[in-house]
Every structure is written in C-alpha cells, then in structure tokens.
Amino acid sequence: MPVIDVTDLRKSYGGRPAVDGVSFTVEEGEIFGILGPNGAGKTTTVECVEGLRVPDAGRVRVAGLDPVADHEKVTRVLGAQLQRSELQDRLTVREALELYASFHPRPADWRPLAERLGLVPKLTTRFGKLSGGQKQRLFIALALVGDPRVVVLDELTTGLDPRARRDTWQLIEDIRANGVTVLLVTHFMEEAQRLCDRIAVIDKGRVAALDTPAGLIRRSTGATVISFTPSAPLDEDEVNALPGLVSVEHRGRRVTLSGTDETVDAVITLLARSHVTAHQLRVTDATLDDAFLDLTGRSGPDEEVTA
C-alpha cells in the first residue's frame, strides 16, 4: 500500500478551483516531488495531505489514515516543514527542540538529530539570531522530532544561497537514507532533478505529468540541444529542414538547435557538406526546465501564493 494516496482531490476557494482532480501515490522510501507554477495548486494539495485543509471532494490517505478524520494519528506518522515557518525570536534552538518533542507521545531523541543537522553549536542561540540556512536546518529537525514515517518539505530552500541550498539537499538525501519518505514541494528545477525519484507536475490544479525526472525530460519535444558558432553562415532553408528539429535560436553568430539524436547527425552532415567548421560545438541533453516548459508553456515555476 502506498504511504500517501491522493485520488481525485478537489478544493475550491470562492468558487474558483485551486485543485481540480489531482491524483498520485507516494511509495515508502521515495523522495516524491511536486512541481508547478505560481497558483498551480501545489501548496493546497500538500496542505490537504497534512490535514491542514479539508478537501471539497476526493480521497486522501496517509499510511491508510484520513488526514482530517484521523488527524491526531496522522501527526504521529507525518512531519511537516511549512512553506512559511517562523518561531518566536527569543526561543533558543534547544527550547524549540524540547518544545516540539513534548508534542509527541514517542518523540525521537532530538540530541542525535541536532548533531546530524549541525545544530549542536547553536543550541543556546536564539531563533532570531540564526542564519537562513540554520533556520531551515532547525525546521527540518522540528519536522523530524516526532520520528515520522513521512516528512513534507514545502519550498524548503527558497531564499538560501547556493552553498546552503546544496547542504540542505544533502540533508534531504540523508533523511531518506534513514528510512523516511519525503514529499518535496519545490520550484527549483535543479533541486527536483537531483533529489526526486518521481515528480508530479501540477498545472492549473491538475496533474500535467507524473514520471521520473529522466522520463519527463525524455518527453521534451527537443530532448537534445546542439549549439555552435559556424565559420560561415549556413543555408537557413537547409537548417529548417533538419530532421527532428524543434527550434532554432540565433544569438549573434551562435546557433542553438533543439531536436533529437537524428538532428545531431544531420547537423554534422550539413556542416561537412557545406565546408563549414563548427566552433565551440556542444551537444547536451534537455533539462527538467525544458520539460517543464513543454508541459506548462510557462517561463518557469515560481513560489506559490495560496489563499
């Protein structure tokens, strides 16, 4: 049985659907990602999973439990780091850990948890004096102090610098290595591509695609990107007739083509036939960004603001 099972979930605000028939399952031990643009319904979906919002229709189960009807039991198996989390500025890290541990009948020992998350040197530091990365590590600890089977991390690395973000990614991988299932809501493509076993792309309240990161990328219409600076102009008609070609972009003299492996072979043949040298030739795979654009037609996902 999946540890999270969402079936035909629906939720509206003021008659406007925010979530419109979302379905997915999360298996034990997965890092499952949810991606989507601003207002797509990501946060509303996970808040229904957490039992913080009551669905209008559909079915949600966490470890076989209803997050609303069995809310107290669900809090024993599910920990959550919310999209926007704050603590009282004068509360120390130790006090926060002890307070949250007291909420659970059988909490995890917060001391090794604090050590694993690098919080031991900050135990006497007040929350208001912590850096952004230290606060995020504390929120992870608070989400895990109840010894949950599942943890929900919503926009965990927003606002962190690149180093702190990568350190947090390692923490998430460590959490999964310790047997915890992770439901990760993010708008960072690189984050999702590195961490997630599977991803649900939610757009306009519906699941636009559900697959592994590699599977989503393979769906991209231009799964291969070829870029080069030709020693002489190529015939535009011949370029546009390349097999498998999806798009052509010119930036100064540099040419970037999106297509398939067949396009790569055809470009090389065209260059040789035209006696043109390709300077700084690069052939790369498409990214999750490319797949996202194909699925949603947007310039990129942003943080969601939920009513």
Side-chain angles (χ1 to χ4, degrees):
M1 182 177 67
V3 69
I4 297 176
D5 188 349
V6 177
T7 305
D8 199 26
L9 178 65
R10 299 176 187 273
K11 180 68 178 177
S12 297
Y13 301 105
R16 178 178 174 270
V19 179
D20 189 15
V22 164
S23 298
F24 62 87
T25 60
V26 180
E27 301 299 325
E28 194 93 36
E30 272 194 304
I31 299 178
F32 186 94
I34 295 181
L35 286 176
N38 180 45
K42 307 186 304 294
T43 293
T44 296
T45 297
V46 297
E47 287 179 348
C48 289
V49 170
E50 294 161 341
L52 299 178
R53 293 188 186 271
V54 180
D56 295 335
R59 181 178 183 272
V60 180
R61 293 292 182 269
V62 177
L65 301 168
D66 184 324
V68 176
D70 305 311
H71 187 69
E72 184 176 346
K73 292 180 180 178
V74 168
T75 60
R76 297 175 188 171
V77 298
L78 185 144
Q81 171 269 330
L82 303 179
Q83 186 181 39
R84 293 175 180 83
S85 301
E86 287 295 330
L87 296 174
Q88 209 281 332
D89 277 350
R90 296 184 59 81
L91 198 67
T92 68
V93 170
R94 180 191 295 273
E95 289 168 343
L97 289 165
E98 290 177 342
L99 176 64
Y100 274 63
S102 72
F103 296 158
H104 301 278
R106 289 182 295 277
D109 185 346
W110 62 260
R111 293 165 185 82
L113 189 60
E115 184 174 357
R116 179 154 58 96
L117 292 168
L119 292 171
V120 171
K122 297 294 180 181
L123 288 177
T124 59
T125 303
R126 300 188 188 279
F127 179 78
K129 298 295 184 180
L130 297 177
S131 69
Q134 290 162 352
K135 288 179 179 180
Q136 294 296 55
R137 288 199 293 275
L138 175 57
F139 288 133
I140 293 174
L142 298 180
L144 295 172
V145 77
D147 197 21
R149 286 174 59 190
V150 184
V151 64
V152 179
L153 305 175
D154 192 352
E155 302 290 6
L156 180 67
T157 60
T158 295
L160 298 187
D161 62 54
R163 177 60 182 271
R165 182 173 298 131
R166 292 189 188 306
D167 289 345
T168 304
W169 292 351
Q170 184 61 55
L171 292 176
I172 295 171
E173 291 173 332
D174 291 345
I175 290 168
R176 193 262 291 277
N178 280 275
V180 179
T181 301
V182 178
L183 179 59
L184 177 68
V185 183
T186 182
H187 68 277
F188 290 112
M189 297 290 104
E190 185 183 0
E191 182 168 283
Q193 190 165 344
R194 168 173 165 169
L195 294 176
C196 297
D197 299 300
R198 291 187 300 138
I199 296 169
V201 178
I202 297 181
D203 187 30
K204 299 175 183 175
R206 300 185 177 188
V207 175
L210 198 164
D211 207 334
T212 64
L216 292 174
I217 291 168
R218 283 195 297 271
R219 297 186 190 193
S220 177
T221 54
T224 304
V225 179
I226 313 109
S227 62
F228 58 92
T229 302
S231 60
L234 291 168
D235 184 280
E236 287 298 318
D237 290 336
E238 290 191 272
V239 171
N240 291 327
L242 291 170
L245 183 69
V246 173
S247 66
V248 181
E249 180 181 353
H250 295 273
R251 291 189 178 178
R253 292 181 54 227
R254 192 153 186 86
V255 179
T256 300
L257 311 175
S258 295
T260 64
D261 290 342
E262 188 180 10
T263 312
V264 177
D265 295 337
V267 167
I268 293 171
T269 300
L270 174 60
L271 289 166
R273 188 172 65 243
S274 305
H275 304 290
V276 172
T277 301
H279 297 290
Q280 296 178 316
L281 174 66
R282 293 189 180 91
V283 180
T284 60
D285 291 331
T287 65
L288 202 53
D289 267 315
D290 299 309
F292 183 89
L293 292 175
D294 283 344
L295 289 166
T296 66
R298 313 282 181 100
S299 58
D302 300 305
E303 275 188 89
E304 180 176 356
V305 180
T306 305

